[in-house]
Amino acid sequence: MGVPGPFPGSAGRPYAPVLGREEVDRALARLGAEYEAIETSLLALQDHAGRRLLEGADLSGTTKERWAATERSITVLWSLFETYTAALTATRELRERRRWPSPDDLAELTDMLHGSGVTVPGAAAEGGGPESGPPRLSEQFSMEGLVERMNGLYARSLDVIVAADAVWSALPARIDLLSAELQRVRSLAHSVGVRPGEHPAGDDLERITDELTRLRSQVISDPLAFWVSSSTGSSAPGGGRPDTARYDRAARGLEDIRREVEAVLDVRQDAERRLMQLRDVLSRADRTLTEARQARGEVLAKIAASEVPAVSGPSTALHEQLAAAADYRRHAQWHRLSPLLDSLEQRAEDELHRARESLTAVTAPLAVRAELRGRLDAYKAKVARHGLAEDPLLMERYDAARRMLWSAPCDLRAAEQAVWRYQQAAAEAFVPQEAERRGES
């Protein structure tokens, strides 16, 4: 909507000598233009949509107090305008008596134009407000001073109207849109079990609902309580902005709840897949632990003098929580299923990792025995390539190492020493052959 601007005023000037005819005419033309601007501004103020809203609203707080003072100021404005109109009319009539005014006429016109000959009643002179000081019966103004007084009253009145109108134009509609979004989120939340008393987000929804209801009521009845004046010190009417801090907090809170509800929706849509994956991971962990326990028995039977760690059983707590998750899914308690699945997925992976580590730790002695067997066979093949397979010492040490590695229980420390002795004997047997080859070459 259009906002009327302040009508032009005069800065006033000190007493001057008697004006000439042309100076008088120019002054009257200027005052006539000011009169038209003042009248246009006052009529625009009278028809301003913000003023009509203020007049019809059930106000409270700051707005009620400031609007009462503004209504008095507007009444005073019209009274001052009537006084200004009468003074301008009287001045024009005096000027129009003669085409060539006499010196006495010019002196009187000068006084009317620049002197303080306009009498204003006390209430109007004080500006209609208590801040003007003690009451006076009347006050004298020049016409230019009268315009300045009207300018001040007009700017303050327009500031109140524009500020209230700006708040009403900005906040209630936004609050209504947010309330509509809140109802959508509430319906979605109830469909997934996010309700007050059952889920923190449900309690937050109730709190935001109450806050928006209070906020809208307060904005309608006291808009000026939600107006922040411009920090730049601008004197323009309505210099400032609506205070949206409470609205913004509610909007952010609702957005957080919406994301949480959508996360619960995702859980509902993906719950079966995630539960199947959890069952699979825990099943693999259980099978791995069973394999580790069986391997431990085998290691204890086949390997002597070896520290074999104990193997724990399946995690009872994880299986109980998996059963609880399945129960939540059956009863559509998605808001409880969501955090439980998040926790279970990580813990199930940790359980599978623990089971694999147990299997690795338990079977380590068997891996060592297999590595020794492979090393022994590799050296036997190398000895054969060198034509030393029938060497008595090598055959004796090979047989000793092989008996240790293929007997049960196997003493790994003794077997490792036997393999090492066989390697040493083989290395010593290779030396003369290498020397003989170098000599022949």
Side-chain angles (χ1 to χ4, degrees), residues 19 23-25 27-28 30-31 88 91 108-115 142-144:
L19 301 176
E23 291 176 313
V24 168
D25 290 342
L28 282 172
R30 185 183 71 254
L31 290 173
L88 180 60
T91 305
E108 186 175 355
L109 285 167
T110 299
D111 184 61
M112 294 176 74
L113 289 169
H114 295 305
S142 67
M143 294 182 69
E144 294 169 342

Side-chain angles (χ1 to χ4, degrees), residues 160-179:
V160 169
I161 293 171
V162 169
D165 186 51
V167 172
W168 278 335
S169 298
L171 277 176
R174 294 171 70 179
I175 293 171
D176 290 343
L177 288 174
L178 190 61
S179 296

Side-chain angles (χ1 to χ4, degrees), residues 172-224:
R174 294 171 70 179
I175 293 171
D176 290 343
L177 288 174
L178 190 61
S179 296
E181 173 66 8
L182 185 144
Q183 293 304 318
R184 187 191 71 82
V185 173
R186 179 198 292 274
S187 175
L188 198 60
H190 283 194
S191 72
V192 295
V194 177
R195 298 182 177 88
E198 298 181 11
H199 192 281
D203 298 331
D204 291 340
L205 272 175
E206 287 298 301
R207 178 183 56 77
I208 293 175
T209 301
D210 294 342
E211 167 66 2
L212 287 180
T213 301
R214 289 194 303 270
L215 180 60
R216 193 181 194 286
S217 174
Q218 292 168 4
V219 166
I220 294 300
S221 65
D222 191 9
L224 294 182

